[in-house]
Amino acid sequence: MPELHSINFEVRDYECDMQGIVNNSVYQNYIEHARHKFLLAHNVDFAEITKNGIHLVVMRAELDFKKPLISSDEFIVTTHAKRQSKFKFEFHQEIIRVSDKRVMLKAKVIAASITDKGKPVIFTGLDHALAE
């Protein structure tokens, strides 16, 4: 099974809402950035494949919020992926607070590979990084 990919982050003040916790929409930014870094770590340049007419697009995102992050929290986002079908991938991600190793969020993101015209296309450039 391919190695679990992880990336470090720190919560910035402006990412918090009036309650002093990270706004729910910000978590999407965290996990998207982590997915792009996952791709790069596996020699898949998101911008380059897009230029070549293959688009990896999010079709569904399931986010389970466990505990809130607050300003200055340091955390990691872990990512691994598997193929769901010929055209779809599942990205499984967790946000883990560094100070106590607590899982703050679990996410499952379904992405599809499509052409410029929106038609499904088989993308094999990520196969080497997929879990069984």
Side-chain angles (χ1 to χ4, degrees), residues 79-104:
T79 304
H80 73 278
K82 66 181 189 177
R83 186 173 289 283
Q84 188 182 65
S85 72
K86 290 192 307 187
F87 309 112
K88 294 181 186 176
F89 303 91
E90 286 182 24
F91 290 91
H92 295 268
Q93 297 180 277
E94 289 186 341
I95 291 180
I96 302 164
R97 186 169 49 205
V98 171
S99 64
D100 59 2
K101 308 289 189 263
R102 183 171 221 159
V103 175
M104 308 303 274

Side-chain angles (χ1 to χ4, degrees), residues 1-121:
M1 178 160 139
E3 189 175 307
L4 189 66
H5 182 266
S6 65
I7 181 171
N8 296 315
F9 287 88
E10 182 177 346
V11 174
R12 297 163 287 203
D13 292 337
Y14 65 83
E15 296 171 327
C16 298
D17 57 23
M18 291 177 55
Q19 298 147 333
I21 61 176
V22 171
N23 184 276
N24 67 84
S25 66
V26 175
Y27 289 88
Q28 289 272 17
N29 293 327
Y30 294 155
I31 63 176
E32 180 177 21
H33 184 70
R35 285 193 307 277
H36 285 218
K37 290 296 189 179
F38 170 86
L39 293 172
L40 280 172
H42 293 287
N43 299 315
V44 177
D45 185 325
F46 189 77
E48 192 63 33
I49 63 171
T50 299
K51 282 185 212 170
N52 292 326
I54 296 175
H55 303 271
L56 298 180
V57 296
V58 171
M59 296 184 65
R60 180 184 185 125
E62 299 173 15
L63 280 66
D64 295 321
F65 297 91
K66 304 296 186 182
K67 293 283 183 187
L69 290 167
I70 61 172
S71 184
S72 299
D73 272 347
E74 294 179 3
F75 62 97
I76 63 169
V77 179
T78 62
T79 304
H80 73 278
K82 66 181 189 177
R83 186 173 289 283
Q84 188 182 65
S85 72
K86 290 192 307 187
F87 309 112
K88 294 181 186 176
F89 303 91
E90 286 182 24
F91 290 91
H92 295 268
Q93 297 180 277
E94 289 186 341
I95 291 180
I96 302 164
R97 186 169 49 205
V98 171
S99 64
D100 59 2
K101 308 289 189 263
R102 183 171 221 159
V103 175
M104 308 303 274
L105 176 128
K106 288 186 175 213
K108 177 177 156 183
V109 177
I110 308 298
S113 50
I114 62 172
T115 67
D116 288 331
K117 304 244 186 274
K119 301 287 185 192
V121 62

